[in-house]
Amino acid sequence: MQDIHTIVVVYQFGKVASTSVVNAINSAPGFHAIQSHLLGADCLMRVVPYICDPNTSDYAAQVEFDQLSAAFTTTRMLNQVRDGTGPRKRFVLVTLVREPLSWFRSAILQDLPRYMVLFRGIGRTLELGDPEAEADALSACLLVALRWLSEVAERIEDLANIQWGDHRLKAAVDDVVPKDLHHEFLSLFFVMIRPLRWFDTHYTSATGITLTEFQPYRRGMWKRDPDWVNAYLIRYEDLQEGYLALRDDLGLPAEAVLPQDNVSATKPHSQPAAQAFSSGEADRLRRTLGRCDYARFFGYRQPAQT
Protein backbone atom coordinates (compact mmCIF):
# COMPACT_ATOMS: atom_id res chain seq x y z
CA MET A 1 0.00 0.00 0.00
CA GLN A 2 3.05 2.32 0.09
CA ASP A 3 2.54 3.49 -3.49
CA ILE A 4 -1.20 4.04 -2.99
CA HIS A 5 -2.33 7.64 -2.57
CA THR A 6 -6.12 7.15 -2.91
CA ILE A 7 -8.34 4.45 -1.39
CA VAL A 8 -11.80 4.12 -2.94
CA VAL A 9 -14.50 2.08 -1.23
CA VAL A 10 -17.37 1.25 -3.58
CA TYR A 11 -20.07 0.70 -0.98
CA GLN A 12 -23.43 -0.44 -2.31
CA PHE A 13 -26.19 -3.05 -2.04
CA GLY A 14 -25.12 -5.20 -5.01
CA LYS A 15 -26.22 -5.70 -8.64
CA VAL A 16 -25.14 -2.20 -9.72
CA ALA A 17 -22.00 -2.95 -11.79
CA SER A 18 -19.74 -2.24 -8.82
CA THR A 19 -17.19 -4.86 -9.92
CA SER A 20 -16.68 -2.98 -13.20
CA VAL A 21 -16.12 0.29 -11.33
CA VAL A 22 -13.66 -1.34 -8.92
CA ASN A 23 -11.71 -2.98 -11.77
CA ALA A 24 -11.54 0.29 -13.72
CA ILE A 25 -10.21 2.23 -10.71
CA ASN A 26 -7.73 -0.51 -9.80
CA SER A 27 -6.25 -0.31 -13.29
CA ALA A 28 -4.88 3.15 -12.40
CA PRO A 29 -1.50 3.50 -10.63
CA GLY A 30 -1.78 4.92 -7.12
CA PHE A 31 -5.43 3.93 -6.65
CA HIS A 32 -6.77 1.04 -4.60
CA ALA A 33 -10.49 0.24 -4.86
CA ILE A 34 -12.49 -2.11 -2.63
CA GLN A 35 -16.12 -3.10 -2.97
CA SER A 36 -18.33 -3.85 0.00
CA HIS A 37 -22.01 -4.62 0.59
CA LEU A 38 -21.64 -4.43 4.38
CA LEU A 39 -19.98 -1.81 6.57
CA GLY A 40 -20.35 -0.76 10.19
CA ALA A 41 -20.36 -2.87 13.34
CA ASP A 42 -24.14 -2.71 13.75
CA CYS A 43 -24.79 -3.89 10.20
CA LEU A 44 -22.27 -6.71 10.45
CA MET A 45 -23.71 -8.02 13.69
CA ARG A 46 -27.24 -7.99 12.27
CA VAL A 47 -26.16 -10.58 9.70
CA VAL A 48 -25.11 -13.13 12.34
CA PRO A 49 -28.62 -14.24 13.44
CA TYR A 50 -29.61 -14.75 9.80
CA ILE A 51 -26.56 -16.92 9.15
CA CYS A 52 -27.22 -18.96 12.31
CA ASP A 53 -30.97 -19.36 11.70
CA PRO A 54 -31.65 -23.06 10.93
CA ASN A 55 -34.36 -21.98 8.49
CA THR A 56 -31.81 -20.12 6.36
CA SER A 57 -30.64 -22.28 3.47
CA ASP A 58 -27.02 -23.46 3.43
CA TYR A 59 -26.49 -21.56 0.18
CA ALA A 60 -27.78 -18.24 1.56
CA ALA A 61 -25.89 -18.63 4.84
CA GLN A 62 -22.62 -19.31 3.02
CA VAL A 63 -23.05 -16.28 0.72
CA GLU A 64 -23.50 -13.98 3.72
CA PHE A 65 -20.71 -15.60 5.72
CA ASP A 66 -18.19 -15.20 2.90
CA GLN A 67 -18.72 -11.43 2.88
CA LEU A 68 -18.14 -10.89 6.60
CA SER A 69 -14.36 -11.19 6.89
CA ALA A 70 -13.56 -8.60 4.22
CA ALA A 71 -16.34 -6.34 5.55
CA PHE A 72 -14.83 -6.36 9.05
CA THR A 73 -11.45 -5.30 7.63
CA THR A 74 -12.96 -2.48 5.56
CA THR A 75 -15.11 -1.31 8.48
CA ARG A 76 -12.05 -1.07 10.73
CA MET A 77 -10.20 1.00 8.11
CA LEU A 78 -13.22 3.30 7.67
CA ASN A 79 -13.48 3.84 11.44
CA GLN A 80 -9.75 4.62 11.64
CA VAL A 81 -10.05 7.18 8.85
CA ARG A 82 -13.01 8.85 10.57
CA ASP A 83 -11.06 8.89 13.85
CA GLY A 84 -7.95 10.35 12.24
CA THR A 85 -5.82 7.30 13.03
CA GLY A 86 -6.07 5.65 9.61
CA PRO A 87 -3.66 5.69 6.67
CA ARG A 88 -2.62 9.16 5.49
CA LYS A 89 -4.24 8.80 2.11
CA ARG A 90 -7.18 10.31 0.27
CA PHE A 91 -10.29 8.34 1.16
CA VAL A 92 -13.22 8.17 -1.28
CA LEU A 93 -16.64 6.60 -0.84
CA VAL A 94 -18.61 5.80 -4.02
CA THR A 95 -22.14 4.43 -3.84
CA LEU A 96 -24.15 3.19 -6.82
CA VAL A 97 -27.95 3.08 -6.76
CA ARG A 98 -30.53 1.54 -9.08
CA GLU A 99 -34.25 1.61 -9.89
CA PRO A 100 -35.78 -0.71 -7.26
CA LEU A 101 -37.64 -3.20 -9.44
CA SER A 102 -34.86 -3.55 -12.01
CA TRP A 103 -32.48 -4.15 -9.12
CA PHE A 104 -34.86 -6.74 -7.65
CA ARG A 105 -34.96 -8.70 -10.91
CA SER A 106 -31.16 -8.78 -11.03
CA ALA A 107 -31.01 -9.83 -7.38
CA ILE A 108 -33.31 -12.77 -8.04
CA LEU A 109 -31.34 -13.90 -11.09
CA GLN A 110 -28.03 -13.55 -9.27
CA ASP A 111 -29.09 -15.75 -6.35
CA LEU A 112 -31.87 -17.83 -7.89
CA PRO A 113 -31.06 -21.00 -5.84
CA ARG A 114 -31.80 -18.97 -2.70
CA TYR A 115 -35.36 -18.25 -3.85
CA MET A 116 -36.18 -21.46 -5.71
CA VAL A 117 -37.66 -23.02 -2.55
CA LEU A 118 -40.37 -20.36 -2.68
CA PHE A 119 -40.94 -20.70 -6.41
CA ARG A 120 -41.13 -24.48 -6.15
CA GLY A 121 -43.67 -24.06 -3.35
CA ILE A 122 -45.76 -21.73 -5.48
CA GLY A 123 -45.61 -24.14 -8.41
CA ARG A 124 -46.63 -27.05 -6.21
CA THR A 125 -49.41 -25.23 -4.34
CA LEU A 126 -50.99 -23.66 -7.42
CA GLU A 127 -50.14 -26.53 -9.80
CA LEU A 128 -48.09 -24.32 -12.09
CA GLY A 129 -45.37 -26.87 -12.82
CA ASP A 130 -41.71 -27.14 -11.91
CA PRO A 131 -39.99 -23.72 -12.09
CA GLU A 132 -36.53 -25.32 -12.12
CA ALA A 133 -37.28 -27.39 -15.22
CA GLU A 134 -39.82 -25.30 -17.15
CA ALA A 135 -39.35 -21.67 -18.22
CA ASP A 136 -43.11 -21.06 -18.44
CA ALA A 137 -43.56 -22.41 -14.93
CA LEU A 138 -40.83 -20.11 -13.57
CA SER A 139 -42.43 -17.10 -15.25
CA ALA A 140 -45.84 -18.05 -13.84
CA CYS A 141 -44.41 -18.53 -10.34
CA LEU A 142 -42.63 -15.19 -10.54
CA LEU A 143 -45.90 -13.51 -11.51
CA VAL A 144 -47.59 -14.98 -8.45
CA ALA A 145 -44.72 -13.85 -6.24
CA LEU A 146 -44.93 -10.32 -7.69
CA ARG A 147 -48.67 -10.24 -7.03
CA TRP A 148 -48.21 -11.39 -3.44
CA LEU A 149 -45.45 -8.83 -2.91
CA SER A 150 -47.70 -6.05 -4.22
CA GLU A 151 -50.64 -7.10 -2.06
CA VAL A 152 -48.49 -7.16 1.06
CA ALA A 153 -46.52 -3.96 0.29
CA GLU A 154 -49.67 -1.95 -0.49
CA ARG A 155 -50.90 -2.51 3.07
CA ILE A 156 -47.78 -0.99 4.67
CA GLU A 157 -47.48 2.78 4.57
CA ASP A 158 -43.87 3.11 5.80
CA LEU A 159 -42.53 0.29 3.68
CA ALA A 160 -38.86 1.21 4.09
CA ASN A 161 -39.08 1.06 7.90
CA ILE A 162 -40.88 -2.24 8.33
CA GLN A 163 -39.25 -4.88 10.54
CA TRP A 164 -39.42 -8.67 10.28
CA GLY A 165 -41.66 -9.09 13.35
CA ASP A 166 -43.99 -6.14 12.69
CA HIS A 167 -47.62 -7.11 13.34
CA ARG A 168 -48.80 -5.32 10.19
CA LEU A 169 -46.45 -7.34 8.04
CA LYS A 170 -47.44 -10.56 9.77
CA ALA A 171 -51.14 -9.83 9.29
CA ALA A 172 -50.68 -9.01 5.60
CA VAL A 173 -48.60 -12.12 4.94
CA ASP A 174 -51.10 -14.29 6.82
CA ASP A 175 -53.86 -13.01 4.53
CA VAL A 176 -51.96 -13.39 1.25
CA VAL A 177 -49.38 -16.18 1.42
CA PRO A 178 -49.89 -19.89 2.26
CA LYS A 179 -48.54 -20.55 5.74
CA ASP A 180 -45.91 -23.09 4.69
CA LEU A 181 -44.30 -20.46 2.43
CA HIS A 182 -44.16 -17.60 4.96
CA HIS A 183 -40.45 -17.80 5.77
CA GLU A 184 -39.34 -18.02 2.14
CA PHE A 185 -41.73 -15.24 1.13
CA LEU A 186 -40.50 -12.91 3.88
CA SER A 187 -36.89 -13.55 2.85
CA LEU A 188 -37.77 -12.44 -0.69
CA PHE A 189 -39.80 -9.48 0.61
CA PHE A 190 -36.86 -8.09 2.57
CA VAL A 191 -34.57 -8.51 -0.42
CA MET A 192 -37.06 -6.48 -2.46
CA ILE A 193 -37.09 -3.54 -0.02
CA ARG A 194 -33.32 -3.55 0.55
CA PRO A 195 -32.62 -0.50 -1.66
CA LEU A 196 -35.49 1.42 -0.05
CA ARG A 197 -34.08 1.10 3.47
CA TRP A 198 -30.37 0.68 2.78
CA PHE A 199 -29.32 4.28 3.36
CA ASP A 200 -30.97 4.35 6.79
CA THR A 201 -30.07 0.84 7.94
CA HIS A 202 -26.59 0.60 6.39
CA TYR A 203 -25.07 3.74 4.89
CA THR A 204 -25.85 6.28 7.60
CA SER A 205 -25.25 3.73 10.34
CA ALA A 206 -21.79 2.93 8.96
CA THR A 207 -20.65 6.42 7.89
CA GLY A 208 -22.70 8.95 9.84
CA ILE A 209 -23.61 10.59 6.51
CA THR A 210 -27.24 11.18 5.48
CA LEU A 211 -28.76 11.64 2.04
CA THR A 212 -29.66 15.25 2.87
CA GLU A 213 -25.94 16.14 2.86
CA PHE A 214 -25.64 15.43 -0.87
CA GLN A 215 -26.19 17.93 -3.65
CA PRO A 216 -26.74 17.27 -7.39
CA TYR A 217 -23.41 17.34 -9.19
CA ARG A 218 -23.94 15.85 -12.67
CA ARG A 219 -26.86 14.06 -14.31
CA GLY A 220 -27.61 11.05 -12.13
CA MET A 221 -24.80 11.97 -9.73
CA TRP A 222 -24.63 13.59 -6.28
CA LYS A 223 -21.66 14.86 -4.28
CA ARG A 224 -21.08 15.84 -0.67
CA ASP A 225 -18.73 18.53 0.62
CA PRO A 226 -15.56 16.64 1.61
CA ASP A 227 -14.29 16.35 5.17
CA TRP A 228 -12.85 13.02 6.26
CA VAL A 229 -14.13 11.45 3.05
CA ASN A 230 -14.98 12.42 -0.53
CA ALA A 231 -18.43 10.88 -1.03
CA TYR A 232 -20.35 10.37 -4.28
CA LEU A 233 -23.67 8.81 -5.28
CA ILE A 234 -24.20 7.61 -8.87
CA ARG A 235 -27.27 6.16 -10.54
CA TYR A 236 -26.68 2.84 -12.27
CA GLU A 237 -28.77 4.09 -15.20
CA ASP A 238 -26.34 7.02 -15.67
CA LEU A 239 -23.19 5.09 -14.80
CA GLN A 240 -21.20 5.80 -17.97
CA GLU A 241 -21.58 9.56 -17.62
CA GLY A 242 -21.24 9.43 -13.83
CA TYR A 243 -18.06 7.41 -13.98
CA LEU A 244 -16.47 9.90 -16.40
CA ALA A 245 -17.27 12.71 -13.96
CA LEU A 246 -15.84 10.65 -11.10
CA ARG A 247 -12.72 9.89 -13.15
CA ASP A 248 -12.16 13.59 -13.78
CA ASP A 249 -12.81 14.52 -10.14
CA LEU A 250 -10.37 11.95 -8.76
CA GLY A 251 -7.72 12.49 -11.41
CA LEU A 252 -7.90 8.97 -12.78
CA PRO A 253 -6.12 8.51 -16.13
CA ALA A 254 -8.14 8.28 -19.34
CA GLU A 255 -6.98 4.67 -19.69
CA ALA A 256 -9.09 3.70 -16.63
CA VAL A 257 -12.07 2.81 -18.81
CA LEU A 258 -15.35 1.38 -17.53
CA PRO A 259 -16.40 -1.84 -19.34
CA GLN A 260 -19.85 -1.94 -20.93
CA ASP A 261 -21.25 -5.38 -20.23
CA ASN A 262 -24.88 -6.47 -19.84
CA VAL A 263 -24.48 -9.53 -17.64
CA SER A 264 -28.11 -9.93 -16.54
CA ALA A 265 -29.34 -10.60 -20.06
CA THR A 266 -27.06 -13.64 -20.33
CA LYS A 267 -27.86 -15.23 -16.96
CA PRO A 268 -29.78 -18.52 -16.86
CA HIS A 269 -33.57 -18.00 -16.65
CA SER A 270 -33.23 -14.37 -17.80
CA GLN A 271 -36.03 -14.73 -20.37
CA PRO A 272 -38.80 -15.96 -18.02
CA ALA A 273 -37.71 -13.33 -15.51
CA ALA A 274 -37.88 -10.60 -18.17
CA GLN A 275 -41.37 -11.78 -19.12
CA ALA A 276 -42.62 -11.62 -15.54
CA PHE A 277 -40.98 -8.27 -14.82
CA SER A 278 -42.51 -6.64 -17.90
CA SER A 279 -46.03 -7.57 -16.78
CA GLY A 280 -48.82 -5.52 -15.27
CA GLU A 281 -48.05 -7.08 -11.88
CA ALA A 282 -44.51 -5.72 -12.13
CA ASP A 283 -45.79 -2.22 -12.99
CA ARG A 284 -48.12 -2.38 -10.01
CA LEU A 285 -45.24 -3.27 -7.70
CA ARG A 286 -43.00 -0.58 -9.22
CA ARG A 287 -45.62 2.06 -8.41
CA THR A 288 -45.77 0.87 -4.82
CA LEU A 289 -42.00 0.93 -4.39
CA GLY A 290 -41.88 4.34 -6.06
CA ARG A 291 -43.69 6.05 -3.20
CA CYS A 292 -40.67 5.66 -0.87
CA ASP A 293 -38.11 8.37 -0.08
CA TYR A 294 -35.35 6.45 -1.87
CA ALA A 295 -37.30 6.48 -5.15
CA ARG A 296 -38.19 10.15 -4.77
CA PHE A 297 -34.63 11.27 -4.02
CA PHE A 298 -33.07 9.43 -6.96
CA GLY A 299 -35.86 10.16 -9.45
CA TYR A 300 -37.37 6.68 -9.69
CA ARG A 301 -41.00 7.67 -9.35
CA GLN A 302 -41.71 6.87 -13.01
CA PRO A 303 -41.34 3.37 -14.52
CA ALA A 304 -37.76 2.82 -15.71
CA GLN A 305 -36.56 1.01 -18.80
CA THR A 306 -35.26 -2.42 -17.79
Side-chain angles (χ1 to χ4, degrees):
M1 297 282 285
Q2 290 183 351
D3 297 330
I4 301 299
H5 56 70
T6 300
I7 298 174
V8 182
V9 176
V10 182
Y11 178 36
Q12 31 65 47
F13 41 73
K15 289 76 183 177
V16 287
S18 57
T19 300
S20 296
V21 174
V22 167
N23 290 341
I25 294 172
N26 277 334
S27 70
F31 288 81
H32 178 61
I34 309 162
Q35 66 173 320
S36 182
H37 303 319
L38 294 170
L39 286 179
D42 291 344
C43 295
L44 296 180
M45 296 309 297
R46 283 201 297 266
V47 178
V48 174
Y50 179 77
I51 294 174
C52 297
D53 188 336
N55 292 308
T56 301
S57 71
D58 290 343
Y59 175 87
Q62 189 64 51
V63 168
E64 298 295 342
F65 182 80
D66 289 345
Q67 295 183 27
L68 279 181
S69 178
F72 274 114
T73 300
T74 306
T75 292
R76 178 170 172 78
M77 179 180 64
L78 180 146
N79 289 342
Q80 289 175 329
V81 171
R82 288 179 67 182
D83 194 46
T85 59
R88 300 298 180 184
K89 304 177 188 299
R90 181 172 56 165
F91 194 74
V92 180
L93 196 62
V94 176
T95 293
L96 308 171
V97 301
R98 188 173 180 180
E99 191 274 321
L101 203 67
S102 297
W103 177 87
F104 186 41
R105 184 182 73 180
S106 290
I108 290 174
L109 288 173
Q110 180 74 29
D111 294 322
L112 191 58
R114 178 186 296 201
Y115 314 117
M116 195 55 79
V117 174
L118 173 63
F119 301 144
R120 283 198 304 266
I122 293 173
R124 181 179 62 252
T125 301
L126 301 181
E127 300 182 349
L128 297 175
D130 182 359
E132 283 189 292
E134 307 166 36
D136 289 345
L138 177 57
S139 182
C141 292
L142 278 167
L143 280 170
V144 172
L146 292 173
R147 185 177 74 245
W148 289 354
L149 289 164
S150 289
E151 291 177 4
V152 170
E154 287 168 358
R155 302 185 190 196
I156 301 169
E157 186 64 31
D158 53 338
L159 190 58
N161 298 316
I162 200 72
Q163 301 298 319
W164 186 284
D166 192 291
H167 67 92
R168 296 168 299 164
L169 179 59
K170 183 180 185 303
V173 173
D174 283 344
D175 287 346
V176 172
V177 181
K179 188 171 183 178
D180 63 332
L181 298 178
H182 279 193
H183 183 84
E184 289 76 17
F185 173 82
L186 283 168
S187 295
L188 186 66
F189 178 88
F190 277 96
V191 169
M192 176 189 72
I193 66 172
R194 184 182 301 166
L196 311 184
R197 62 208 307 254
W198 187 81
F199 278 92
D200 289 332
T201 61
H202 286 70
Y203 190 93
T204 299
S205 175
T207 67
I209 300 170
T210 66
L211 275 180
T212 57
E213 298 177 45
F214 287 88
Q215 298 296 324
Y217 183 56
R218 297 285 191 273
R219 189 182 74 175
M221 186 178 186
W222 293 257
K223 184 179 179 181
R224 172 182 174 270
D225 290 337
D227 42 27
W228 63 273
V229 64
N230 296 272
Y232 300 85
L233 308 174
I234 303 174
R235 283 181 22 142
Y236 171 86
E237 294 81 5
D238 300 302
L239 181 55
Q240 291 295 329
E241 182 175 332
Y243 174 75
L244 291 177
L246 178 70
R247 191 177 69 181
D248 291 344
D249 245 32
L250 299 185
L252 285 158
E255 293 77 17
V257 176
L258 188 69
Q260 300 187 50
D261 295 324
N262 183 8
V263 177
S264 292
T266 64
K267 288 185 182 298
H269 307 292
S270 60
Q271 289 306 311
Q275 183 178 350
F277 276 83
S278 61
S279 66
E281 291 293 351
D283 288 340
R284 174 187 177 187
L285 185 56
R286 180 179 283 114
R287 287 192 296 271
T288 300
L289 301 180
R291 74 188 187 211
C292 296
D293 289 342
Y294 168 90
R296 286 194 289 268
F297 184 92
F298 291 110
Y300 291 134
R301 293 297 299 271
Q302 298 299 319
Q305 297 296 319
T306 60

